[in-house]
Amino acid sequence: MGKRNYPTDQFAKAFLAQKRTHFNTPGHHKIGTESTFSKLAKSHLFELDMIDVNVLEPSVLNDVANEMAKAYHADRSILSTQGTSTAIMAMILATCNDGGKMIVPRNVHRSVVGAMILAGVEPLFLETEFDNDLGISHHYSANSLIHAINQYTNIQAILLINPTYFGVCTDLQTIVSIAHDKQIPVIVDEAHGAHLPFHPQLPISAMEAGADLAATSLHKLGGSMNQTSILLYRKGLVDFRNVQNAMNYLMSTSRPFQLIASLDSTRYQLEQSGRLQLQRAMALAEDFRTKVNTLTGISCPTKDDLLSSDASFDLDQSKVIIKIDTLPLSGYELKQLLEKESNILLELADTRYALAIFTIGTTKKDAKKLFRALKKLVARYQKSSSVMNPVVKPPAPVMSMTPRKASFSPQQLVPLSASLGKINTEFVISYPPGIPILIPGERITKQHIDFIVNQRTSGATFVGSQHPQLEELTVVKDPT
């Protein structure tokens, strides 16, 4: 018998041997987990795995959920061991149904689109503020929301992303007030806001702003293990029974105790020492940002740079954007060079930037290492002739069919070059951050094709599509 392949063992050993420095999620960065849980998990990983729903007392789960709700200023909470995507989908299924409409920004995570397909809800996409210098989208304005509410009927929910992947926050309290005046619930994708309630210099959290539901990733910036999140609920416009039912539809009955314990321990750590830990993380981020801004060819945008309109209200400064100014590199190339030459992992990249996340797991040594690596790259490339990668704004959506109808229509695979004018049926996403270029039901324009080619040329990685390089797309089948 020939030698058998063991892919996970081979990858894990190679990954661990490289001793990488992390500026990406999960936010514990290997060392930021609560110490008691960390010791317990290291010593008793498989013993903990024996605690299933038949062993775990219901009161324990209730106590964990109640403590979580109090920590996040919510009336109720539901624990998710299947990530924030499950919680986001449950929020939409709990508030929207077939034939209704939901106001959403276009820069949503693919889980939002998946939930719209399951619920049969029609998206009303509001145009978001676009940063032409960096090539990133922020939020829609309060005025555009008021216009949409006055224009359309049967709006069942308003969805916001707050903070964005880049830490930019909208004026959430004003948005909530506008929506509640019309008795419309506000649901918030708060994947990057688990730390917000635990330091006064951070933006206001969804529950504190009065939102009805929020899906919050404790694993991203709170310090818990991957795939641990919470769904937060405020009494008022949404029936909690609908929320609970939606989570029951989506969640596995086999919920790992290790992940539940990780959620609980992270909440405990944030309440006990989060303020001090977050203060240190933000100070490291600010010091790093100041040092990078002494270099030539790259820079780190400041709060004043990023908050330039009514649609951008506040900033989580633990998110650090490394902007390409004059170096002959794309953000993708910068990220790849840091990984290859210095074993430094950043969170994401695009044509004009890369993103580093400073968390409770980030050390002063980590920050120094990243700065030294950037300084070395600047010295190497700043004398080269500069060929800047142009910022290309993502194409505006052209909805020709509801996402649900398109997803369940007869389909065919066509070359990208032959997809012009056809209706897309799949997710076309560069990841991270997982914001779709095309979703099911949108008609493919020349701008979409050009944008896909530009992203591919710049080094983007695509997920969700039949063809990994998007040389082909799945579209609604032409009638014969």
Side-chain angles (χ1 to χ4, degrees), residues 93-114:
L93 291 175
T95 54
C96 300
N97 53 56
D98 199 5
K101 298 179 176 67
M102 181 173 68
I103 290 177
V104 291
R106 185 56 183 80
N107 54 330
V108 291
H109 189 266
R110 63 178 177 176
S111 59
V112 173
V113 183

Side-chain angles (χ1 to χ4, degrees), residues 6 8 14 17 133 154 177 199 203 218 231 363 366 408 428 442 474:
Y6 192 172
T8 55
D133 190 31
N154 198 21
S177 177
H199 198 285
L218 265 74
L231 198 166
T363 66
D366 296 337
F408 293 104
V428 179
E442 290 181 345
T474 308

Side-chain angles (χ1 to χ4, degrees), residues 51-64 257 260:
I51 304 176
D52 65 8
V53 290
N54 295 316
V55 176
L56 184 63
E57 296 178 10
S59 62
V60 175
L61 279 176
N62 290 335
D63 288 346
V64 174
F257 177 81
I260 293 168

